[in-house]
Amino acid sequence: VLNGFLWFFLPISKPKRVFVTSSTHPGNFGGLIAGNGICQGLANAAGLLGSWEAWLSTSTPLVDAKDIILNTEYRRLDNVVVANNKADLIDGTIDNPINRDQNNNAVTASTEVWTGTHSNGTRDATCTSWTSTSVNGDVGNTNSTGTSWTEFGHTTCSDSNRIYCFEQ
């Protein structure tokens, strides 16, 4: 009690981490669950604790990437802020590019990343929900802080690209 008021101290949510995979995968990597498995497997191998999920949208089932992640601050593994919260992540710009892999190595070349996701976090072209190489899929770009971090363009699903991984 302070000055007649009861003060409660709410825990401040710890920032979550984000990385881009060091490995690349064709667009038929097996769907959203398989993408999450890729993220979790690479995080585990790198000694990163926690639960990790892929920034991917799908049409079957209907999943928007923005609905998968938490509403919290996200930082790269070098502790640089990417977005202050979910709204900041999908407002058209991010603070810094997601260009560090699960081992905290810089990804310096402009690299495409499977997303299937518009800049507002909703689904777009997804290589038939990440199960086919006969169509196109939406990609982001690791060098971008504008909308193209997640919506850079479309590429053939037989190409191999990285995946963004978000701690949950």
Side-chain angles (χ1 to χ4, degrees):
V1 177
L2 179 65
N3 293 334
F5 291 97
L6 185 60
W7 292 93
F8 293 95
F9 294 95
L10 299 175
I12 297 173
S13 112
K14 178 181 172 188
K16 298 294 184 179
R17 299 166 292 173
V18 59
F19 66 83
V20 63
T21 60
S22 61
S23 58
T24 61
H25 308 271
N28 67 339
F29 51 80
L32 182 58
I33 291 172
N36 292 341
I38 291 167
C39 287
Q40 190 67 56
L42 290 171
N44 290 348
L48 301 174
L49 301 176
S51 175
W52 295 83
E53 293 194 8
W55 173 263
L56 295 168
S57 294
T58 62
S59 53
T60 306
L62 295 176
V63 174
D64 293 327
K66 69 180 180 81
D67 295 334
I68 295 171
I69 63 163
L70 300 172
N71 186 22
T72 190
E73 181 179 82
Y74 283 97
R75 295 181 182 192
R76 296 186 318 212
L77 297 182
D78 60 354
N79 211 31
V80 170
V81 174
V82 170
N84 296 315
N85 51 42
K86 185 187 296 194
D88 191 27
L89 196 65
I90 60 174
D91 69 359
T93 61
I94 55 176
D95 295 345
N96 289 285
I98 304 170
N99 61 1
R100 307 288 294 194
D101 71 16
Q102 72 277 2
N103 296 306
N104 201 21
N105 295 321
V107 177
T108 55
S110 178
T111 303
E112 291 183 346
V113 182
W114 292 122
T115 66
T117 306
H118 290 294
S119 61
N120 66 359
T122 60
R123 68 191 155 279
D124 194 13
T126 65
C127 300
T128 314
S129 294
W130 312 114
T131 62
S132 174
T133 59
S134 63
V135 292
N136 289 329
D138 208 29
V139 293
N141 185 285
T142 58
N143 280 354
S144 178
T145 57
T147 58
S148 59
W149 80 266
T150 186
E151 188 177 14
F152 182 64
H154 299 288
T155 190
T156 179
C157 295
S158 59
D159 288 351
S160 286
N161 294 305
R162 298 174 190 243
I163 298 172
Y164 291 126
C165 302
F166 284 75
E167 183 180 21
Q168 298 302 301

